[in-house]
Amino acid sequence: MDTGNLRKRIAVIGSGFSGLSAAAYAAKSGNEVHVFEKHDQPGGRARQFRTEQGYVFDMGPSWYWMPDIIEGFFSDFDYKVSDFFKLVSLDPQFEMVFSEEKISVPEKNDEIRELFEKTEKGAGKKYDTFMQSAQFKYEVGMKDFVTKPCYNWLEFASLKIAGSALKLDLLSNFRKYVSGYFSDPKLRSLMEFPVIFLGASPQNIPALYSLMNYGGYVLGTQYPMGGFYQLVLGMKDVAEKQGVTFHFNHEVKKINTENGKVVSITANDKDYEFDAVIASSDYYHTETLISKSLRNYNDAYWKTRTFAPSCLIYYLGIKGKISHLKHHTLFFENNLDDHIDCIYKNKKWPAKPLFYACCPSKTDPDIAPEGCENLFLLLPLTPGIHDEEVVREKYLKEMLERIEKHTGETDLISRIEYKRSYCVSDFISDYNAYQGNAYGLSNTLSQTAVLKPKIRNKKISNLFYTGQLTVPGPGVPPSVISGKIVAGEVNKLKIK
């Protein structure tokens, strides 16, 4: 890597996955790196908290997919994931509950193939064909396509990417692509579900993202013992080993510029001078820290973007065990498109919602008191919606009733020992998230690659952006990649 002509003093705003990644890679190249985090711990949306009763809750991400991407981060610094935490492979990977039946997705790929064949005659062979194509997209997409800074389309003119353009299925939509392989609605739902993480309807997501199916189902669903926060702690440890300094409880209130350059940042009423700034904070919010004339995008631009959902989350400590509930369970008894329309078209609370339940105490006994369950519930919502407590409680009651129907348990609400809700307004107050979005920008075709917000400020030469609102997009592995991309660009910066 070109590290420029001098050791640089770099500020990173925010310590989510992209910030941790950017800090570690920038410091590895010999720069002096300081991370400013408004909270008292690292992780951003992936923070963790403990209760007096002994429950340990991951606040955000819970699906450990694309393990090779995460392993790649640690190997870049001559470490292994196992140096920092223990991974357990989940079997089943997850369960999907439909109105009349449920499907458990097994750990092993050949057993998934058998499940498809059992559900729809001939679907086993089609599953193999689907995953062969998905593997190709994963290997080209995650190793080449998403690693570009995306200043312009010429970056994608390499023989490997250009020659693979048709096979990457960039111009076909995911729903049509899946329906070309499978007829059974349950199998279609199984294949469509992973792209919900990308924040849009399967009708508006490029078929390229079948790579998610490979990165999840074939590579497997894993869990870091101690919670997803172990990944945060591992990345922070790596960053510190490179010399990164962390400043917690330091909220950046202003980015100070002179003559088209950042000269300092203001945090806790004190100015800190830097040669470059990497903002892992919300992109829109970051731009409110500079004058309007220097911003990449105005308010009108952001209003025209398609954002991934926000969500209603409940962190629940439940007395006693919940039988017949898996580590990951997707409650898909209702129509997916109806819920998606409430997010993107109607912009209202869903009448018949889908939701996700994570019960990590099924795998990890240390995150709940003995004989109790740690339960995380998540219901996707349209960003910006009003989320008063009475409405939150209404949906909690419905989610618990559906869990009771699925498991045969009774009166779960009376067994709640700890309860905390988290919704749109909390994403705004805690993360300055635009309209309280939880996952960044949707990966629609019109918001892919070069069409995403740029990683570099066009008028301030030493201000850069990283994270889920820029390239490559939402999700933990893409955020880790985003940090690496930006660190590489900052390393090329020449100091005058």
Side-chain angles (χ1 to χ4, degrees), residues 414-425:
S414 69
R415 291 164 52 188
I416 295 175
E417 186 176 25
Y418 176 85
K419 177 174 70 174
R420 177 181 176 184
S421 66
Y422 202 93
C423 202
V424 176
S425 56

Side-chain angles (χ1 to χ4, degrees), residues 315-333:
Y315 310 100
L316 303 174
I318 305 290
K319 292 179 183 177
K321 304 302 285 185
I322 303 176
S323 59
H324 309 299
L325 187 66
K326 304 295 190 259
H327 187 122
H328 295 301
T329 309
L330 298 155
F331 286 82
F332 271 53
E333 308 100 308

